[in-house]
Amino acid sequence: MSDDQRDQTPAEPAAEAPAPAQAQAQAPVTTGPEPEPLRFFGTTWVNHDGGYGLRRVGVAAGALAAAVIGAFLLRFSYEGLEIGNVGPFLSISVVVLFAIASSIAFVKAWESFTRRPNPSSDEAALKGLKAIGFIGGLIAYFLRCLVEAPGEKLARAEYERATAEFARRRSSRTGNPATRRTKRKK
């Protein structure tokens, strides 16, 4: 035995394993499906509690403020192009590019609040375009916050469907199948 091993204090004895009856009592009780947490809202969208209204106001104000700041930054960059005297073609092209990218980002963000994208869709190919048109995505987020938490309608439909399915499965059970007796043939 080395000096390092002797200097160490002995570990505390391991806790005893709970009895089988205690293990069953400690088993988690399934109460149904868990709601999906939404960004900035968590699961407060389910019952509209926990400051849900204040969160919606705060997120809407934040999205609008970020869109306004982004618009000012784009304006300053456009003024930089004008100062650089790059010509009217490039200046107009930049404005048109940001307008198209913002409109595409708005539409894609708005669609994402009502339905899930297909796994095989071209969402990954549009990431760069949506990043360029970030103002459109922020405006979509702001407008959706005026009605509900962004994505709440989709999450609520999925949660209610899962809850109904869980209730249907639970109601069809009649007890522990292991304790059932087999029917005797007469």
Side-chain angles (χ1 to χ4, degrees):
M1 190 183 270
S2 70
D3 290 336
D4 292 337
Q5 291 174 342
R6 276 186 263 145
D7 292 340
Q8 294 176 353
T9 58
E12 294 182 20
E16 294 181 20
Q22 291 175 343
Q24 289 177 357
Q26 294 175 355
V29 178
T30 56
T31 58
E34 295 292 322
E36 173 188 359
L38 298 178
R39 182 182 298 158
F40 304 120
F41 295 93
T43 57
T44 60
W45 60 269
V46 177
N47 297 322
H48 293 190
D49 58 354
Y52 171 80
L54 291 175
R55 288 180 190 213
R56 267 187 42 204
V57 169
V59 169
L64 185 62
V68 168
I69 291 170
F72 276 121
L73 289 175
L74 289 178
R75 181 173 181 228
F76 292 144
S77 65
Y78 179 77
E79 287 177 0
L81 289 174
E82 290 297 318
I83 291 170
N85 201 14
V86 294
F89 177 73
L90 186 58
S91 297
I92 293 172
S93 297
V94 167
V95 170
V96 169
L97 169 75
F98 277 106
I100 291 171
S102 290
S103 65
I104 290 173
F106 178 88
V107 169
K108 290 298 181 181
W110 195 263
E111 286 177 355
S112 72
F113 300 144
T114 56
R115 64 181 171 88
R116 300 239 184 248
N118 293 332
S120 64
S121 69
D122 296 329
E123 291 296 318
L126 293 176
K127 278 188 177 182
L129 192 62
K130 290 192 298 188
I132 292 171
F134 66 97
I135 294 176
L138 288 170
I139 291 173
Y141 214 79
F142 165 71
L143 292 175
R144 196 60 177 195
C145 281
L146 297 178
V147 178
E148 65 182 4
E152 178 181 346
K153 183 176 183 180
L154 175 65
R156 187 171 301 283
E158 290 174 351
Y159 177 65
E160 287 174 354
R161 186 173 36 251
T163 304
E165 178 68 20
F166 179 79
R168 185 186 64 78
R169 284 192 319 242
R170 288 293 286 183
S171 66
S172 65
R173 295 182 185 167
T174 58
N176 186 353
T179 60
R180 288 188 196 150
R181 294 184 183 171
T182 58
K183 293 183 179 180
R184 296 182 183 175
K185 294 181 181 180
K186 293 183 181 181

